[in-house]
Amino acid sequence: MTTLSRASAAVSTSLRDIFIVAAIGAVLVFTAGLAQSETLHDAAHDVRHATGFPCH
Amino acid sequence: MLSRLLSSALIAGAAAGLIAALLQLGFVQPVLLHAELYEGGELTHFAAPGDHHHDAADIAHDHDHAEGAAAAAHPDMGGLDLSRDGLSVLFSILVYAGYALLLVAAIALAENRGHAVTARQGLLWGVAGFVAVQLAPAFGLAPELPGMAAADITQREIWWLATVALSAVALWLIAFGKSWAAWAPAIVLAALPHLVGAPHPAELTGPTPPELAAQFAGRALGVGLVAWVALGLLTTTLWSRGRA
């Protein structure tokens, strides 16, 4: 048990860093895939359709 | 640590996005462009004999064929549109970079909880990601061709987001749960959005042939699976390499 916790401590990533990358990822996916802005929609149109995002 | 998370995800996401974009341009885009001819009215599904659409002739018709449905079934949709397809490559990379950042966050979280993540397991992470963000929502809202009848966009986006989130949590519980105390709620969460049902239009009035829509949905899912498997393998490889 001690070895396990020591091993996992060696590779542990801070929750703050995990939250930051997840938040950036969510913003990216939302902007490229879901945001209903006219300009974004037109630019991302084909990718949104082909990647299965709801579109139009 | 933050820079290692970011670099693993962004490199893997850019590569997977590029793979997805190339496959989309080769296999999915021709179906989409064909459907847009029906959406824009250049082609008509079930055109009456003698009901000729001469404006379509220069785009699609092979004059050796009899005019009508037979000639319209396989128009030549080849050729790149540099600005349009360039934007598709860019946005494909952005979407997959976003997915990669979410994926690497989930992988780091799993490691923190004592689950070793090796490069080989990237295959499973990739398939699970594909199920969560493409296959599960497609079960209710199949990838849409332009011109297809659909319900209100905001309602569909809410259903899509809820389905992706619930499916991701369900897959996590199935993968890392140790008993039915985790697996039973996972099944409920995975099934819930489909029992509630996706928003669908009151009438099916789309102008595009169902043959095109079926081909589009199948190919969009196939491309998604390939891109997600690449994303999973690349993310775990880069992430575990950086750790050594």
Side-chain angles (χ1 to χ4, degrees):
Chain A
M1 217 49 219
T2 19
T3 22
L4 179 68
S5 48
R6 214 180 289 143
S8 54
V11 294
S12 115
T13 311
S14 83
L15 278 179
R16 182 183 138 271
D17 290 354
I18 291 178
F19 179 79
I20 291 172
V21 285
I24 302 173
V27 168
L28 258 182
V29 171
F30 184 84
T31 311
L34 296 166
Q36 288 179 29
S37 131
E38 188 80 20
T39 325
L40 274 174
H41 167 272
D42 291 350
H45 175 267
D46 297 353
V47 169
R48 287 185 179 190
H49 277 282
T51 318
F53 287 101
C55 205
H56 294 288
Chain B
M1 194 55 85
L2 184 60
S3 66
R4 192 157 74 78
L5 284 165
L6 286 172
S7 61
S8 317
L10 292 178
I11 295 169
L18 191 60
I19 291 170
L22 294 177
L23 289 171
Q24 274 169 19
L25 292 178
F27 292 101
V28 185
Q29 191 73 4
V31 187
L32 189 151
L33 293 176
H34 190 179
E36 282 187 342
L37 296 180
Y38 289 94
E39 184 189 24
E42 286 94 337
L43 292 178
T44 309
H45 193 209
F46 289 129
D51 181 12
H52 296 167
H53 290 265
H54 290 288
D55 52 344
D58 49 344
I59 307 168
H61 279 190
D62 178 349
H63 288 286
D64 293 332
H65 286 167
E67 292 205 53
H74 303 285
D76 177 15
M77 287 294 154
L80 283 176
D81 175 335
L82 273 187
S83 66
R84 180 173 179 168
D85 296 339
L87 280 172
S88 290
V89 173
L90 174 69
F91 274 89
S92 180
I93 288 173
L94 288 176
V95 166
Y96 278 93
Y99 284 151
L101 289 162
L102 291 164
L103 184 65
V104 85
I107 288 171
L109 200 60
E111 276 190 340
N112 277 0
R113 297 171 63 89
H115 306 287
V117 175
T118 64
R120 273 167 193 267
Q121 287 169 353
L123 184 68
L124 286 171
W125 281 94
V127 170
F130 166 75
V131 170
V133 307
Q134 288 209 17
L135 191 62
F139 193 79
L141 295 172
E144 296 158 38
L145 267 181
M148 280 173 63
D152 173 62
I153 176 73
T154 306
Q155 281 184 23
R156 279 181 293 138
E157 287 191 343
I158 291 169
W159 187 89
W160 187 93
L161 275 172
T163 304
V164 169
L166 292 174
S167 306
V169 173
L171 284 162
W172 179 281
L173 290 173
I174 290 169
F176 298 120
K178 290 186 170 52
S179 70
W180 283 103
W183 300 328
I187 292 170
V188 173
L189 291 178
L192 193 61
H194 307 292
L195 295 175
V196 170
H200 282 290
E203 290 181 348
L204 302 175
T205 54
T208 41
E211 291 86 346
L212 283 184
Q215 188 178 40
F216 183 82
R219 287 192 172 181
L221 289 174
V223 169
L225 179 60
V226 173
W228 265 101
V229 164
L231 183 67
L233 286 169
L234 286 167
T235 306
T236 49
T237 301
L238 292 167
W239 175 248
S240 56
R241 181 175 298 170
R243 185 203 304 138

